[in-house]
Amino acid sequence: MTMFLESKEEVYNVEWGRSWLWDVRFEDRSLAVFNKWFPATSVTINKFALEAHEFSAPYSTFSVPKGSTLFDLKINFLDDVKLTIEKWASNWVNNEIFGNNCVATLERACKRVTVVRYTQDKDILDSNVYHVFPRGSLYFEGSSENSVPTSELEFVIAGTE
Amino acid sequence: MSKILRPSVEHLRGLGNFTQGFRWGIVHTPPPGLKMNSEGLNFRAVSCGIPEWSSETMEIQIREFKSKQPGMTSIASPVPLEFFETEDNFVHEYFNAWKTLVVNTKKGYVIGAKAAYMTNMVVFRLNSMDEPIWKYEFGGVYPESVNKGQLDAQTGEPLTIATNLAFNFFNDGPP
């Protein structure tokens, strides 16, 4: 039997992926300049989430597929001097979701976000549209560093297109 | 395969004029907030760096096999620029005024808008007839550091001001 990976040539011949070839966009006019492109510096997204059901039987423990868990999306982003993103996210939660003395329905609470991944020559490799609403909290972290303010937003994916 | 020739004197003569490192000039547009004539910078400039383009290589290692492929690319900013100072303190005054547009040097906070202190700069390389043959264009330029030299007891050379100019865009090509 020969080796599976035999030579350096086989590693060299692959065009390897690049971790920065992605894009995120919320289509929301209140984002002003960031309506066209969202200033995300990193994105984390479930591609699948499968839970297993474990059970014990004599001599061993077994596991079988059970069902899916919640899908979520996390975005780290930079903000501009007007705090455009912070104000947009606060308005989304405090006015659009909690605004009318009640909690908005799922349909009204969600916004569309598109996550795209590219090839190295910027052709679209895959493009997914998600309907999301924010989960958890948004913190502003002031510091004494020479840096741009960054925060993390976490979203629940309520649906896809 | 074509025959490989060792270059001879005839080949070297056929190459034409070689470019000379001292034939260059700066066209520096004063930032909109700075009301000074920037021509004096060109006459006092003694050296100018040329930004280096580089690609951050990605290394893929799978067990014993290492392979490389190009990753993110960048152009090294800032560009170093040196000036001789004259007794009218033109370079000091120019950079003080420009610096004041970027940062309030007394109170220490950034003032003004980018539009007021960002500017453009073009450096031309010249041929032996002093005609432009290549241009290096810098956009979104602002002073990142200004070193006003050192005073001592024995140097007869003019005082040299060493600056680093940060830029946001760079392009070079025929003029």
Side-chain angles (χ1 to χ4, degrees), chain A residues 23-65:
Chain A
D23 229 340
V24 172
R25 182 188 181 191
F26 282 88
E27 286 170 61
D28 191 339
R29 286 194 181 157
S30 57
L31 273 171
V33 62
F34 298 129
N35 176 37
K36 186 173 171 291
W37 58 278
F38 196 82
T41 54
S42 72
V43 66
T44 311
I45 191 161
N46 286 126
K47 297 315 283 184
F48 66 77
L50 180 64
E51 279 196 331
H53 175 69
E54 280 194 4
F55 61 94
S56 298
Y59 309 118
S60 186
T61 302
F62 295 92
S63 187
V64 291

Side-chain angles (χ1 to χ4, degrees), chain A residues 124-158:
Chain A
I124 292 177
L125 196 63
D126 84 8
S127 171
N128 292 294
V129 179
Y130 303 101
H131 291 250
V132 298
F133 63 87
R135 178 172 65 186
S137 35
L138 172 66
Y139 292 99
F140 164 70
E141 194 179 330
S143 75
S144 301
E145 303 290 324
N146 181 32
S147 59
V148 183
T150 58
S151 301
E152 188 189 50
L153 273 170
E154 190 178 332
F155 303 94
V156 172
I157 298 175

Side-chain angles (χ1 to χ4, degrees), chain B residues 82-122:
Chain B
E82 281 190 354
F83 303 92
F84 277 153
E85 184 55 299
T86 44
E87 287 185 1
D88 59 1
N89 290 312
F90 175 82
V91 181
H92 277 76
E93 285 183 6
Y94 193 92
F95 278 94
N96 277 358
W98 195 1
K99 196 173 63 178
T100 309
L101 284 177
V102 179
V103 174
N104 183 323
T105 45
K106 281 186 182 165
K107 297 182 178 172
Y109 53 79
V110 176
I111 55 171
K114 278 186 177 179
Y117 58 78
M118 292 287 197
T119 187
N120 298 320
M121 185 176 78
V122 187

Side-chain angles (χ1 to χ4, degrees), chain A residues 86-143:
Chain A
E86 186 186 305
K87 287 179 179 171
W88 166 78
S90 300
N91 182 60
W92 184 359
V93 174
N94 295 326
N95 295 331
E96 294 177 34
I97 296 180
F98 289 139
N100 299 315
N101 294 326
C102 62
V103 182
T105 59
L106 182 63
E107 189 188 358
R108 285 174 183 274
C110 284
K111 288 186 192 290
R112 289 173 89 236
V113 57
T114 310
V115 180
V116 177
R117 282 176 296 162
Y118 298 100
T119 62
Q120 79 277 9
D121 43 7
K122 301 283 168 86
D123 287 332
I124 292 177
L125 196 63
D126 84 8
S127 171
N128 292 294
V129 179
Y130 303 101
H131 291 250
V132 298
F133 63 87
R135 178 172 65 186
S137 35
L138 172 66
Y139 292 99
F140 164 70
E141 194 179 330
S143 75

Side-chain angles (χ1 to χ4, degrees), chain A residues 5 8 12 16-18 20, chain B residues 58 60 62 66 69-72:
Chain A
L5 174 57
K8 176 174 176 169
Y12 170 77
W16 294 96
R18 291 166 170 86
W20 68 89
Chain B
M58 299 161 60
I60 295 102
I62 298 182
K66 282 186 187 177
Q69 74 176 29
M72 291 182 172

Side-chain angles (χ1 to χ4, degrees), chain B residues 149-157 159:
Chain B
Q150 187 173 338
L151 305 175
D152 66 21
Q154 54 190 359
T155 306
E157 298 284 317
L159 190 66

